[in-house]
Amino acid sequence: MKTLLMLITLFGLACSAVAQAAVQGKEVSYKANGTTLKGYIAYDDAVKGKRPGVLVVHEWWGQNEYARKRARMLAGMGYTALAVDMYGNGKLADHPDDANKFSSEVSKNMPVAKKRFEAGMKLLRKQKTVDAGKIAAIGYCFGGGVVLNMARMGENLKGVASFHGALGSDIKAKPGHIKARIVSFTGDDDPMIGADKVAAFKKEMDAAKANYRVVTYPGTKHSFTNPDADELGKKFKLPLAYNAAADKDSWQQATVFLREIFSGK
């Protein structure tokens, strides 16, 4: 009987420890040039000490549950992640017209975009769970283009990963100016990112002497990492489609990429 009670007690303690050690997520507010930005920080409280930080830049829909899910996935990998707000005041779009409006306002004003990105980076660096010298950024769709532009502008990041993000930009990288390692994942059936844009991006990165890699998935459309892409594509008649294989492979490759850049390999 004593043995049984002891086993039950130990099992209860183990379950309690598992319950206490879990990914935590919380909403945060910060500012850039007087604009309130509403982000979401995720970390695993079972991880002790400081760890690398990763910024997550949202799709053109805004800082929604999808961006938060990716932040929690990164937290589960041992990082502290901040899903940033590039639109201000936590604005979200539920129609492509609004999404295009919000994203265009930011994309056409790079000084504002840079300030908002840097405000998020500053907040992330201040977290007690973060090693301020090890920061990276990942982005999806609109956010993928943002992180590539931040790399072009020489932001002090270990690396950036772009998932179906725009490769073209009015900003052209200067030789030796890019500090971050770069990886880009796109689909070759994505009309928003044609083969000509992939070729132009490679030419630009080669000229800038960047440490980069481009991965293109055959038969894959835009927004291939988002499980809601099929429904959104049908609803709004957009060339969007989820691709489970490309989603899984790009995330696995990004996982290795983050591990390498933070370890200095």
Side-chain angles (χ1 to χ4, degrees), residues 37 57-58 84-88 106 113-114 116-117 142 146 150:
L37 307 169
V57 187
H58 52 78
V84 300
D85 172 15
M86 294 298 293
Y87 292 163
V106 176
K114 190 170 185 284
R116 291 180 180 178
F117 182 88
F142 158 79
V146 168
M150 294 304 123

Side-chain angles (χ1 to χ4, degrees), residues 4-211:
L4 179 60
L5 289 173
M6 184 178 293
L7 288 173
I8 291 172
T9 301
L10 290 173
F11 179 75
L13 290 171
C15 290
S16 176
V18 170
Q20 292 174 8
V23 170
Q24 306 294 318
K26 62 178 181 180
E27 296 181 357
V28 291
S29 291
Y30 55 109
K31 288 191 175 184
N33 286 356
T35 298
T36 297
L37 307 169
K38 296 182 179 180
Y40 177 84
I41 284 181
Y43 64 96
D44 188 340
D45 62 8
V47 178
K48 303 302 179 184
K50 296 181 181 295
R51 69 215 69 170
V54 183
L55 296 160
V56 180
V57 187
H58 52 78
E59 296 180 291
W60 70 339
W61 306 108
Q63 196 268 93
N64 57 14
E65 178 55 27
Y66 178 70
R68 294 181 176 209
K69 181 188 79 170
R70 291 295 180 178
R72 289 192 294 270
M73 289 171 70
L74 288 162
M77 292 159 55
Y79 304 119
T80 294
L82 169 64
V84 300
D85 172 15
M86 294 298 293
Y87 292 163
N89 297 304
K91 284 190 299 188
L92 295 174
D94 55 14
H95 191 280
D97 289 347
D98 291 328
N100 184 55
K101 177 185 175 182
F102 295 160
S103 61
S104 294
E105 286 174 353
V106 176
S107 298
K108 292 176 181 177
N109 194 334
M110 269 300 117
V112 167
K114 190 170 185 284
K115 287 289 186 182
R116 291 180 180 178
F117 182 88
E118 289 176 339
M121 188 160 55
K122 182 178 179 181
L123 175 66
L124 183 60
R125 284 197 167 112
K126 284 184 174 180
Q127 300 304 303
K128 64 181 181 180
T129 59
V130 173
D131 179 344
K134 293 182 177 181
I135 304 294
I138 70 172
Y140 295 84
C141 183
F142 158 79
V146 168
V147 301
L148 290 176
N149 276 332
M150 294 304 123
R152 285 181 172 103
M153 290 189 284
E155 288 290 353
N156 189 21
L157 297 159
K158 291 295 184 182
V160 301
S162 170
F163 299 83
H164 40 86
L167 299 180
S169 175
D170 292 335
I171 300 168
K172 298 305 175 188
K174 299 176 182 178
H177 195 57
I178 295 178
K179 299 181 179 71
R181 282 177 58 182
I182 295 171
V183 63
S184 167
F185 304 98
T186 58
D188 72 354
D189 200 18
D190 183 346
M192 303 178 197
I193 309 170
D196 57 332
K197 291 183 175 61
V198 174
F201 179 73
K202 289 180 178 179
K203 184 177 180 180
E204 178 193 0
M205 292 297 108
D206 286 338
K209 295 179 170 49
N211 185 340

Side-chain angles (χ1 to χ4, degrees), residues 199-232:
F201 179 73
K202 289 180 178 179
K203 184 177 180 180
E204 178 193 0
M205 292 297 108
D206 286 338
K209 295 179 170 49
N211 185 340
Y212 79 100
R213 186 163 56 90
V214 173
V215 180
T216 305
Y217 296 102
T220 302
K221 294 184 179 181
H222 192 68
S223 201
F224 62 82
T225 65
N226 192 336
D228 294 331
D230 292 335
E231 181 181 345
L232 291 168

